[in-house]
Amino acid sequence: MFKLSNDINNKLDKLGLEEDTGCSSSNINKNNFNININNEDVIRKYTSPIKVIGVQGNSCIGFSPDDSRFAFVSGNGSIYIAKDMKNDSFEIENVLTGHSHSVDCLLFHPKEPILVSGGFDGIFIWDYIKGFIIKKILTHKDIDSHDSKVEALAWLYNGTSLITGSKDSNIKIWDFMVQGYPLLETITAHKAPVTCFSVNNETNILASAGRDSSVKVWDISTLKPEFRSKRSDDSSIKVTIQSTLEGHMGDVVSMYFSRDGSMLFSGARDNEIKVWSIKEQSEIRSIKQHKGDVTCLKLLGKDQSILMTSSIDGTVKCIRLGKIKSLIGNDVLQIEELTKEAQIIESQAISGNININSINEINDPNAGEYLDIGLGNGSIISGAGGSGIDSDKDKVLFSFELHDGIGIGAMSFSNTLKFMATSADRSIRIWRLSTTNYSDKPILIHEFVGHRGPVNTVQILPNSNSILSGSTDYNVFLYNLNTMKREMVFNFEGSVYTMCVGSKNDQTVVFVGGNHYDIKGYLINQNNNNLNNNNNNNNNNNNNNNNNNNNNNNNNNNNNNNNNNNNNNNNNNNNNNNNNNNNSQLPIVQFNGHSGKVQTIAINPDCTMLVSGGNDFDILVWQIKMPYVYRGGDEFNQLQKPINKQSFHKGHITGLCFSDNGKYLISSSTDHSIVLWMVNSNGKKISRETTIENAHNSVVSAISFGHGQISSQFFYSGSWEGSIRVFDTSNLKKCSKSIHEFKAHNSRLSSLTVSSDGSILIASFSDGIIKTFSSTRPWSPIAEYTPNENTSCNALSSNSSFFVSGSDNGLIRCWPTGNEN
């Protein structure tokens, strides 16, 4: 049985049916899932997968106040709660399902086990421990709701009030001191969508910013708990505006108050950071360190002299801020300007035009006064020639591309500053921060990563807690299903269309094919016993998941995207990504012979023969010589040529699959045909046994053999017309005609597989729907799986209790098979 520490088998009984009822999937009764597979009238309909592997693009992120948990958003709008396991790793503890669209912001409550999320759907208030929705305030449906998606959240006064900002340009204040969280006040704040907040409770001020490039500062003292009774008695008591700060030339997307509330830092899409004096209601200075939107700001250190910033330019910068001085009245200059001013004054003093010693006598109350923003110790420079001005400039302690050059959409810090998290595109990384030296670069300890392109092939590794996935983003990822952590990366240097896994002689190799024409073999750590597969019947489990006709080519070449992942972790002895054999991420063997894209590959049960088919109409046979030895790179590794070639089909090869006993191989093609091949006993040649010229009325898009005593005598085929046919190999003379045919769905069938125990046939379709059927007579439907978006499901892989699917949007989902046995 496939075991997970999070216990997927227990989660099979926690899955939601149809629409959720305001609860997460963890509150559904197990009795709802008893399925009678012989009753055609009972068809289960699943909308919530057990797990989703994949990250929402530029996902919002956040740590709980006690740093024990971390939240992010998966690609289907579910919110994942990951628990700190105290060993530099995080494990998924709960999945909050309810959003049907993207989530734009999330925030943990300062004291209670409450998480608030906002987005297109509105505002969701969760109990993130028990995993259910406390309240939904739906956009356009509830009277007090925002009129558009919610983009910003902030707590006031220890979570007694919630502030929300929306694309409708309004700010709403919600009362968390009263059950039901009623609306306290609506503020018409900006002329454009509200993007971010910053709060300083000590000085009772709130800063809001938006796409109108302005920053507004509000007096929120009337929202203090002790003023609530007055508010209820006098409706005229409102939040009042203190000032409007203008100066940015782009949308303001990040803000941060200094500890004493005297200064506000703001970052915008004009690539600048501005520092504002709240008292003077004016700009103090501008910091120009980034070449893209400044997405996050954070002041660190006892004196808050360290500014940490993130940007769409892909960098995180740690800046030790210089200290500046006001020379004349309120004329506070940038460091660069002060330096120039100092040089001018010094030059004038040397020429006798000014007496520097008398500078402090200038008739101005602020002359010679340092503007202390907690940015280090400034001083008047004294010397034989008189005194000058300290030109202590900003110093960049480090500038680091934390996501290999991909723009950083969000950054968050744990309360103790032990951890920092960053979100970029479809990846989230958690870093350990130095608590003693801010010039030390963060160390990567954990990551949640999704594919950046369609997932065309997936494979559950038998007897392990891992799956493999391949995508048009050029990568094959090895995921741990317990933690959802990407443990290995194999860069195919081309779009991945197909793969299969073979295990022999204590070595496990994944063979990968795609638009590269060559097939490459990558070694999965052979010291990991969980990945070793000694069950020959499972060696070619789900080879049919390679039946993919998605010819979309993704030209975004990410050849270097993942090579740095291990480099970033070299100094982290506790990092679970450490691999004793770093060469395992490079090809260990290469197969050269195809003259077109490789669409499908399969390996026989005893791992002696590999077959492949592609757009060159050919089926090539290769000898497998495991164990392979890594020899130092592509130019040194073993390059194999095919030992047999079959060119019978008159179209692209769409599918290949071996029978459990290894005697037969089936192939399918765009020419509408299926061929049953006999495998020679020496494992070096295949010969055509039975030809089914017009197996379907359209392209045969997928094929699969059954498994075990239940269905190993059958093979199944699916087509673009949405039909499935069943063939029986127990009598080869009659094998040319199907014994059963049924219309499975009204769209193209994209993939077929059979559960490892042979009892359930699983089919996926181009509209994203997945259906399961009994693998034997009467081949009745069992269940239907409907994700919340219309995107093609391209790949399937199954064991006896659950299966995984890969789709065009880069997501991998884990579903129950519905097999009660």
Side-chain angles (χ1 to χ4, degrees):
M1 175 59 67
F2 194 98
K3 299 286 186 182
L4 299 179
S5 64
N6 268 1
D7 203 352
I8 274 191
N9 296 303
N10 286 340
K11 290 192 176 184
L12 293 176
D13 25 318
K14 298 177 180 179
L15 218 63
L17 296 177
E18 287 295 344
E19 285 293 326
D20 71 89
T21 59
C23 300
S24 94
S25 58
S26 60
N27 294 310
I28 306 299
N29 194 300
K30 179 177 180 178
N31 294 329
N32 291 336
F33 293 89
N34 291 330
I35 298 173
N36 180 1
I37 63 174
N38 294 317
N39 187 343
E40 293 188 42
D41 296 329
V42 179
I43 301 176
R44 290 295 182 191
K45 295 192 176 183
Y46 297 87
T47 59
S48 299
I50 304 167
K51 283 195 173 186
V52 177
I53 296 178
V55 177
Q56 177 181 287
N58 291 326
S59 167
C60 46
I61 51 180
F63 288 93
S64 63
D66 63 358
D67 295 350
S68 65
R69 289 168 176 85
F70 173 75
F72 68 96
V73 186
S74 73
N76 70 337
S78 298
I79 299 172
Y80 276 35
I81 306 297
K83 188 174 183 179
D84 179 13
M85 304 308 293
K86 305 301 182 182
N87 58 351
D88 278 352
S89 69
F90 288 76
E91 226 172 77
I92 301 301
E93 179 185 53
N94 214 340
V95 182
L96 309 180
T97 58
H99 283 280
S100 57
H101 298 86
S102 63
V103 179
D104 293 277
C105 49
L106 56 81
L107 196 61
F108 284 95
H109 193 278
K111 291 186 175 182
E112 303 296 330
I114 290 174
L115 177 81
V116 178
S117 58
F120 184 87
D121 302 313
I123 302 166
F124 284 50
I125 303 169
W126 309 83
D127 182 321
Y128 65 83
I129 298 296
K130 296 180 180 178
F132 65 86
I133 299 172
I134 301 172
K135 183 177 181 177
K136 290 191 265 188
I137 306 169
L138 299 177
T139 304
H140 299 304
K141 293 184 179 180
D142 292 308
I143 297 175
D144 294 331
S145 70
H146 284 285
D147 292 331
S148 188
K149 70 174 182 175
V150 178
E151 297 186 330
L153 301 167
W155 293 111
L156 304 180
Y157 302 115
N158 288 321
T160 57
S161 297
L162 174 71
I163 305 287
T164 60
S166 169
K167 195 175 181 181
D168 64 9
S169 307
N170 290 331
I171 296 172
K172 289 182 180 288
I173 305 169
W174 309 87
D175 190 351
F176 269 66
M177 295 178 66
V178 178
Q179 189 174 4
Y181 318 124
L183 180 67
L184 273 174
E185 186 176 339
T186 298
I187 305 171
T188 303
H190 291 267
K191 299 176 182 178
V194 179
T195 55
C196 60
F197 296 123
S198 185
V199 179
N200 190 287
N201 289 314
E202 298 300 320
T203 55
N204 303 310
I205 52 176
L206 164 74
S208 65
R211 294 182 186 170
D212 57 6
S213 303
S214 70
V215 175
K216 294 183 182 292
V217 181
W218 309 84
D219 180 353
I220 57 171
S221 58
T222 60
L223 293 171
K224 296 174 75 172
E226 54 266 33
F227 280 94
R228 292 298 176 82
S229 58
K230 293 182 179 180
R231 263 184 167 264
S232 60
D233 295 336
D234 187 351
S235 60
S236 66
I237 298 177
K238 302 289 184 182
V239 169
T240 57
I241 191 165
Q242 281 189 349
S243 61
T244 299
L245 307 175
E246 304 281 358
H248 279 292
M249 301 299 290
D251 303 348
V252 181
V253 293
S254 58
M255 291 188 296
Y256 196 86
F257 270 114
S258 62
R259 188 179 293 117
D260 63 3
S262 64
M263 296 200 178
L264 177 68
F265 289 70
S266 61
R269 290 187 173 133
D270 58 8
N271 308 347
E272 289 190 24
I273 300 165
K274 290 187 181 295
V275 186
W276 308 89
S277 170
I278 299 303
K279 180 180 179 181
E280 303 298 335
Q281 302 181 11
S282 61
E283 179 184 341
I284 298 171
R285 62 172 299 203
S286 177
I287 301 171
K288 301 177 181 179
Q289 291 286 353
H290 285 288
K291 298 179 181 178
D293 306 358
V294 182
T295 54
C296 185
L297 301 166
K298 176 78 171 180
L299 288 173
L300 305 174
K302 292 182 180 179
D303 60 355
Q304 292 196 303
S305 61
I306 304 297
L307 177 65
M308 193 86 81
T309 64
S310 65
S311 172
I312 292 298
D313 64 14
T315 63
V316 165
K317 294 180 186 289
C318 185
I319 306 167
R320 184 181 296 280
L321 295 168
K323 187 164 186 174
I324 57 181
K325 176 184 176 180
S326 175
L327 286 177
I328 306 293
N330 295 323
D331 184 18
V332 183
L333 305 179
Q334 297 185 33
I335 290 295
E336 294 82 357
E337 295 171 334
L338 285 170
T339 304
K340 294 178 181 178
E341 187 71 15
Q343 292 171 349
I344 293 171
I345 294 173
E346 184 177 2
S347 174
Q348 290 174 336
I350 293 173
S351 64
N353 294 328
I354 187 173
N355 182 0
I356 293 184
N357 291 326
S358 66
I359 188 170
N360 289 330
E361 298 175 4
I362 297 176
N363 186 21
D364 187 280
N366 296 317
E369 183 178 65
Y370 280 91
L371 183 62
D372 189 355
I373 54 176
L375 306 181
N377 296 320
S379 62
I380 299 287
I381 299 175
S382 299
S387 48
I389 297 171
D390 186 356
S391 59
D392 182 17
K393 291 186 178 182
D394 297 342
K395 180 180 180 181
V396 178
L397 300 181
F398 66 75
S399 180
F400 193 14
E401 291 188 350
L402 298 186
H403 289 261
D404 310 313
I406 301 172
I408 297 172
M411 181 169 66
S412 180
F413 294 82
S414 64
N415 191 49
T416 59
L417 299 181
K418 179 182 178 182
F419 300 123
M420 176 182 77
T422 51
S423 171
D425 197 10
R426 295 185 183 180
S427 69
I428 290 169
R429 292 180 174 177
I430 301 176
W431 310 81
R432 190 171 68 240
L433 293 175
S434 171
T435 56
T436 57
N437 190 351
Y438 290 114
S439 62
D440 291 343
K441 291 182 178 180
I443 296 172
L444 179 65
I445 61 169
H446 199 99
E447 62 179 343
F448 300 100
V449 183
H451 282 288
R452 300 174 64 194
V455 176
N456 298 322
T457 176
V458 290
Q459 179 87 53
I460 299 174
L461 296 184
N463 306 319
S464 82
N465 58 356
S466 301
I467 65 168
L468 287 162
S469 59
S471 168
T472 55
D473 64 9
Y474 293 18
N475 293 311
V476 173
F477 292 162
L478 175 68
Y479 285 108
N480 183 310
L481 277 178
N482 292 347
T483 62
M484 288 178 51
K485 184 177 181 180
R486 184 184 66 178
E487 296 191 328
M488 298 185 78
V489 178
F490 308 103
N491 192 335
F492 182 66
E493 299 182 331
S495 294
V496 178
Y497 295 152
T498 178
M499 66 183 175
C500 64
V501 176
S503 294
K504 189 176 183 180
N505 297 326
D506 294 328
Q507 186 181 75
T508 300
V509 177
V510 54
F511 301 94
V512 183
N515 69 354
H516 194 279
Y517 292 18
D518 285 359
I519 299 166
K520 296 181 181 180
Y522 300 89
L523 176 64
I524 300 174
N525 193 348
Q526 60 190 33
N527 294 322
N528 185 345
N529 292 326
N530 287 332
L531 299 182
N532 290 334
N533 173 23
N534 297 317
N535 186 345
N536 287 338
N537 288 334
N538 288 331
N539 272 333
N540 68 337
N541 182 28
N542 300 309
N543 287 331
N544 48 284
N545 65 23
N546 302 318
N547 305 323
N548 168 50
N549 288 297
N550 182 359
N551 293 323
N552 296 329
N553 290 328
N554 187 339
N555 292 322
N556 293 328
N557 191 338
N558 296 315
N559 290 344
N560 297 318
N561 184 40
N562 298 300
N563 290 337
N564 294 325
N565 288 343
N566 285 337
N567 294 335
N568 293 335
N569 299 324
N570 287 340
N571 297 322
N572 182 8
N573 294 328
N574 295 321
N575 187 352
N576 291 331
N577 270 340
N578 285 350
N579 191 341
N580 292 330
N581 182 7
N582 290 330
N583 293 328
S584 65
Q585 297 198 25
L586 300 173
I588 197 170
V589 63
Q590 196 158 326
F591 303 86
N592 175 261
H594 278 287
S595 57
K597 299 173 185 176
V598 179
Q599 294 285 359
T600 177
I601 54 179
I603 192 169
N604 69 341
D606 62 4
C607 295
T608 59
M609 174 188 286
L610 181 77
V611 292
S612 60
N615 290 1
D616 55 7
F617 300 5
D618 293 333
I619 297 174
L620 301 184
V621 180
W622 317 82
Q623 187 175 7
I624 301 299
K625 303 174 182 179
M626 297 176 69
Y628 290 102
V629 178
Y630 182 81
R631 295 189 175 94
D634 291 350
E635 65 274 21
F636 303 109
N637 287 328
Q638 187 171 339
L639 182 65
Q640 290 190 214
K641 295 293 183 180
I643 57 174
N644 188 229
K645 178 179 178 180
Q646 298 291 339
S647 302
F648 176 79
H649 284 289
K650 299 176 182 178
H652 299 168
I653 312 300
T654 59
L656 293 166
C657 188
F658 281 100
S659 61
D660 276 0
N661 58 18
K663 291 182 179 180
Y664 303 116
L665 171 75
I666 49 174
S667 62
S668 60
S669 172
T670 56
D671 64 6
H672 303 190
S673 70
I674 296 174
V675 175
L676 177 69
W677 305 84
M678 184 72 71
V679 179
N680 288 12
S681 57
N682 61 8
K684 295 183 179 180
K685 190 177 180 180
I686 58 173
S687 55
R688 187 159 48 92
E689 177 69 26
T690 303
T691 303
I692 309 169
E693 289 286 356
N694 290 299
H696 285 269
N697 297 324
S698 62
V699 169
V700 183
S701 51
I703 50 174
S704 179
F705 262 108
H707 298 299
Q709 294 182 352
I710 298 175
S711 61
S712 60
Q713 72 187 74
F714 302 119
F715 68 85
Y716 311 86
S717 63
S719 71
W720 279 8
E721 61 195 9
S723 66
I724 294 175
R725 293 188 178 184
V726 185
F727 300 84
D728 190 348
T729 61
S730 60
N731 188 339
L732 295 181
K733 293 182 180 179
K734 297 182 179 181
C735 188
S736 60
K737 293 185 178 180
S738 63
I739 61 173
H740 186 71
E741 178 183 4
F742 58 96
K743 182 74 171 180
H745 196 52
N746 293 323
S747 64
R748 292 182 178 184
L749 188 145
S750 55
S751 187
L752 272 178
T753 192
V754 177
S755 61
S756 59
D757 65 356
S759 64
I760 295 177
L761 175 66
I762 308 167
S764 66
F765 302 91
S766 60
D767 60 359
I769 301 297
I770 303 170
K771 294 184 177 181
T772 57
F773 307 88
S774 171
S775 64
T776 57
R777 287 184 176 85
W779 292 284
S780 55
I782 297 174
E784 182 175 315
Y785 306 79
T786 309
N788 61 6
E789 74 277 334
N790 294 320
T791 182
S792 177
C793 180
N794 303 324
L796 297 168
S797 180
S798 176
N799 62 18
S800 61
S801 59
F802 69 93
F803 66 91
V804 293
S805 62
S807 58
D808 261 357
N809 60 5
L811 296 183
I812 302 163
R813 293 178 173 85
C814 180
W815 305 91
T817 59
N819 184 356
E820 60 182 354
N821 296 321

